[in-house]
Amino acid sequence: MYPKSFNDSNGDGIGDLKGITEKLDYLQSLGIELIWICPVYCSPFIDQGYDVSDYYHIDPVFGCNEDMYELIHESKKRGIYIVMDLVVNHCSDQHIWFQNAMKDPYGKYGKYFYIREEVNGNAPCNWRSYFGENAWSKLPGHDNLYYLHLFAKQQPDINWENPEVREELYKMIQWWFDKGISGFRIDAAAFIKKTMPFEILPADREDGFCTYEIPPTCNDGLHEYLQEMKKRTFEANDAFTVGEVVSFEEEDLEKYISDDGCMSSIFDFSLYMIGKQGEDFDGFYSHKQPTANEFRDALLRSSRLSFNVGFLSNFIENHDLPRAASHFIPEKDISEISKKMLAGLNLMQYGLPFLYQGQEIGMENLSFSSADEIVDIGSHMEYTLALEKGLCEEEALKKIQEYSRDNTRSPMQWDKTENAGFTKAAPWMRINPNYMKINVAEQEAREDSLLNFYKKLILLRKNPEYKETLVYGKETSFLEKEDNFVGFFRKDKNKKILVMANFQRKGKFFQLPEGEKKVLINNYSEPVNLETNVIQMRGYQLLILDIK
Ligand code: NOJ
Ligand code: CA
């Protein structure tokens, strides 16, 4: 959940914690069991809360600590767990630790960050931040000193090498457990350990910088920290933890998610890694639209990799990515049918399914008419970068439009009243004008809506007859050589479920496996004929079959 954009309870145009509590019945009706809330701690919001200035307090835009305790309490009553965002790779430059570090860089708080002297008049090394700029900035007031920030310059990286700062963080984590939260989503989890000493790396673009990747050689140090954090905090609280780990070496997966791993789960980014590597990849948000075959290969690979190891967390949307329908489906084919197909793949895949607010009603990307409309800091930097690379304003805007994080951050579309029922005031961020058509109220009232389809899929996952198989059953491919088709079985000793998605506009015939079949889910209203073993699937049709 992206709290600023979920529901505004007090009419200031910004979503807040009371707003979430007001919608708990809605969330319960959807069938979800856990809410991960993006950061709600005090923050100057340079990176929308991922720049924490006080870990112990809720930012006033969201309400107060009591509102959080109430949300935890009310959620528990409805069988819903609350998972907070743990942003400990970096904090805000407004955090008291950094303020003190600036005053006395060689004192106690200077050691809370990576502060280094300049080398021959330059930064200590040539790492590029994830927002595209130099990852080192001059420490204000100290011309010869630099500090490291892998994200914006207002987000100084915290020095995990310092045991004292680790203790401070563990204390804070326990403090929140004592308030009743059930776990954490761990932001930038694999970045907390840096390769030391800082070294100049071969430049990977003309700007002379190199994007810092987590090299395999430092993994041991990383996992020591993550294990320590688990032992000191998560374990005793029986917490659920899910890490943001964008890439990892295959053999390291067990270090993350096996029973002895440092977290309960990590997000599976493989669908979003498609098109993000290789020669023409030139930025954080630069990637191509995945093909159906690439989509299938990524799904199957993830389930093969994780089966018998642990659960990856599956998602097709989050607050850093475009809307799934806009990203995975060619524009002319975006419809409730194709959105339902994506929903089925998201929820039937081996792993823990996460939905992002608005995905359940099929919200789509925003359109931008000028660069002034960009809100996200990352998108601003990408836009500047695109202009520097020689794109004209129009092209740069188009690029931003496709991949901007603003796409998923526009307010939730509740109904067709003014401001989509999100707020009674001017919303903090533009609302997608398509809210008159795409909104919760309309879909709640319509039996065959996407929202009701999501509910059906979730109920199927929870159905006592199928849940064992859908949670633990092995995933094996079906017709893997077919183009534009995603097919897999979920099987255990009691059941065999077949998921089939004709990931293209045109209809096609497919040979079904032997056995008596029952349709569990179909995204078209017309019934399918299972009399023969050859079936004609329509464009973007999704079928989930129980096979005896
Ligand atoms: C990942 C978060 O999801 C993203 O929104 C943020 O900008 C970076 N980490 C930095 O915290
Ligand atoms: Ca508000």
Side-chain angles (χ1 to χ4, degrees):
M1 183 174 288
Y2 201 67
K4 264 195 168 178
S5 295
F6 188 65
N7 182 34
D8 174 24
S9 73
N10 63 346
D12 64 356
I14 309 175
D16 44 55
L17 292 178
K18 274 194 188 316
I20 301 177
T21 307
E22 277 176 7
K23 295 290 184 184
L24 282 173
D25 289 338
Y26 165 75
L27 294 164
Q28 189 184 21
S29 76
L30 182 55
I32 59 129
E33 292 170 29
L34 176 154
I35 312 173
W36 149 37
I37 309 177
C38 284
V40 286
Y41 313 97
C42 288
S43 170
F45 294 101
I46 297 293
D47 186 20
Q48 296 307 339
Y50 284 96
D51 44 330
V52 180
S53 55
D54 175 357
Y55 290 100
Y56 290 91
H57 287 98
I58 298 296
D59 192 280
V61 302
F62 296 121
C64 59
N65 282 31
E66 272 61 38
D67 295 342
M68 188 69 195
Y69 311 150
E70 194 199 352
L71 171 60
I72 296 169
H73 180 72
E74 288 299 316
S75 304
K76 211 162 255 170
K77 284 209 261 183
R78 293 165 176 83
I80 296 175
Y81 299 98
I82 298 290
V83 163
M84 288 180 89
D85 216 304
L86 185 64
V87 193
V88 288
N89 173 69
H90 45 268
C91 60
S92 159
D93 61 351
Q94 303 302 308
H95 194 289
I96 186 76
W97 296 342
F98 195 72
Q99 294 291 317
N100 287 335
M102 285 192 295
K103 278 187 213 131
D104 181 11
Y106 295 99
K108 170 179 158 112
Y109 290 100
K111 299 189 183 65
Y112 275 39
F113 300 93
Y114 299 102
I115 297 177
R116 295 288 186 279
E117 281 172 12
E118 59 174 23
V119 181
N120 306 325
N122 295 316
C125 70
N126 65 335
W127 294 357
R128 184 188 298 111
S129 87
Y130 276 86
F131 293 143
E133 294 186 326
N134 193 341
W136 292 92
S137 288
K138 283 205 169 160
L139 190 70
H142 306 270
D143 243 12
N144 61 331
L145 296 178
Y146 282 85
Y147 68 96
L148 178 72
H149 53 88
L150 290 183
F151 295 89
K153 67 171 186 291
Q154 297 90 341
Q155 294 168 293
D157 278 50
I158 295 175
N159 177 13
W160 273 70
E161 309 281 327
N162 177 356
E164 205 179 316
V165 80
R166 300 206 300 274
E167 286 307 318
E168 284 281 354
L169 295 171
Y170 301 156
K171 197 173 84 193
M172 175 274 290
I173 293 171
Q174 185 57 48
W175 190 88
W176 278 109
F177 281 131
D178 293 342
K179 302 289 179 258
I181 67 153
S182 302
F184 286 101
R185 174 267 188 184
I186 308 171
D187 185 64
F191 289 114
I192 60 172
K193 168 75 188 159
K194 276 82 175 165
T195 331
M196 298 280 179
F198 295 112
E199 270 174 7
I200 296 178
L201 302 170
D204 59 6
R205 273 192 234 152
E206 300 101 65
D207 60 7
F209 292 118
C210 178
T211 297
Y212 175 69
E213 312 265 4
I214 335 132
T217 46
C218 87
N219 273 349
D220 288 339
L222 168 67
H223 284 273
E224 272 162 31
Y225 291 155
L226 292 173
Q227 279 290 349
E228 182 184 90
M229 176 156 61
K230 173 188 173 183
K231 301 241 154 62
R232 295 291 312 282
T233 62
F234 309 143
E235 208 163 58
N237 292 284
D238 198 15
F240 172 77
T241 48
V242 52
E244 186 201 31
V245 180
V246 176
S247 66
F248 54 86
E249 298 287 314
E250 284 186 15
E251 61 272 20
D252 281 341
L253 185 60
E254 63 181 300
K255 291 195 197 156
Y256 286 107
I257 64 169
S258 68
D259 284 349
D260 298 327
C262 52
M263 299 173 204
S264 316
S265 180
I266 60 174
F267 283 111
D268 179 15
F269 278 87
S270 45
L271 286 176
Y272 276 94
M273 293 310 282
I274 301 171
K276 279 205 106 184
Q277 281 139 333
E279 297 259 292
D280 46 357
F281 172 61
D282 59 4
F284 194 20
Y285 305 107
S286 155
H287 41 193
K288 296 185 225 87
Q289 183 163 60
T291 64
N293 290 3
E294 288 171 322
F295 191 101
R296 172 204 53 217
D297 294 346
L299 279 199
L300 295 176
R301 181 179 167 274
S302 295
S303 68
R304 279 179 193 134
L305 207 66
S306 57
F307 190 72
N308 278 340
V309 180
F311 289 124
L312 288 168
S313 287
N314 305 324
F315 64 94
I316 54 172
E317 275 182 18
N318 74 23
H319 65 289
D320 290 332
L321 300 165
R323 287 287 178 183
S326 310
H327 186 62
F328 293 111
I329 306 290
E331 202 178 336
K332 60 182 186 331
D333 295 347
I334 296 176
S335 68
E336 271 205 347
I337 289 289
S338 53
K339 289 174 183 174
K340 286 175 179 171
M341 180 201 74
L342 289 176
L345 295 174
N346 184 191
L347 280 153
M348 293 298 116
Q349 157 85 341
Y350 179 81
L352 307 177
F354 274 72
L355 311 182
Y356 178 72
Q357 66 188 45
Q359 177 188 333
E360 77 276 27
I361 53 166
M363 283 176 61
E364 295 170 10
N365 279 356
L366 265 182
S367 60
F368 294 81
S369 51
S370 92
D372 300 338
E373 289 179 340
I374 303 173
V375 176
D376 167 43
I377 181 176
S379 308
H380 271 293
M381 293 199 189
E382 283 291 311
Y383 180 72
T384 314
L385 197 74
L387 292 179
E388 278 168 19
K389 288 206 82 168
L391 270 66
C392 69
E393 285 180 16
E394 202 183 326
E395 285 166 338
L397 197 63
K398 186 165 175 284
K399 192 174 152 92
I400 295 309
Q401 177 153 338
E402 281 165 17
Y403 305 118
S404 170
R405 309 199 291 184
D406 286 347
N407 284 315
T408 38
R409 296 178 179 189
S410 73
M412 182 71 188
Q413 295 163 203
W414 292 103
D415 57 38
K416 61 177 187 187
T417 63
E418 208 184 349
N419 299 322
F422 161 72
T423 180
K424 299 228 167 350
W428 78 282
M429 200 188 156
R430 268 181 318 133
I431 293 179
N432 195 321
N434 69 10
Y435 75 90
M436 297 292 282
K437 213 175 77 209
I438 300 179
N439 63 66
V440 171
E442 189 278 329
Q443 296 200 22
E444 278 185 324
R446 178 164 52 86
E447 169 54 31
D448 70 347
S449 66
L450 179 64
L451 177 61
N452 283 319
F453 193 76
Y454 266 102
K455 290 184 188 176
K456 273 191 213 146
L457 287 164
I458 294 172
L459 277 178
L460 177 63
R461 269 191 78 100
K462 292 180 168 182
N463 180 329
E465 208 183 327
Y466 296 103
K467 70 175 186 192
E468 281 293 312
T469 318
L470 287 174
V471 175
Y472 299 104
K474 186 165 183 177
E475 183 168 318
T476 51
S477 68
F478 173 64
L479 301 180
E480 200 173 338
K481 299 271 173 305
E482 279 287 346
D483 280 329
N484 304 322
F485 177 80
V486 187
F488 54 84
F489 293 102
R490 298 296 313 279
K491 272 195 276 215
D492 61 12
K493 56 183 188 323
N494 301 316
K495 288 256 169 237
K496 184 151 103 182
I497 297 161
L498 176 60
V499 179
M500 299 170 72
N502 181 32
F503 206 133
Q504 59 188 333
R505 153 192 283 240
K506 69 171 200 279
K508 200 172 171 184
F509 287 94
F510 295 94
Q511 179 83 36
L512 290 174
E514 294 300 319
E516 189 189 319
K517 299 166 196 76
K518 181 166 113 190
V519 177
L520 301 175
I521 298 277
N522 175 4
N523 62 346
Y524 275 86
S525 50
E526 299 76 18
V528 285
N529 177 8
L530 293 173
E531 301 280 285
T532 68
N533 262 352
V534 174
I535 184 178
Q536 182 175 24
M537 288 184 80
R538 301 177 60 181
Y540 295 99
Q541 184 155 26
L542 169 91
L543 289 175
I544 304 177
L545 307 177
D546 174 343
I547 307 190
K548 291 260 170 354

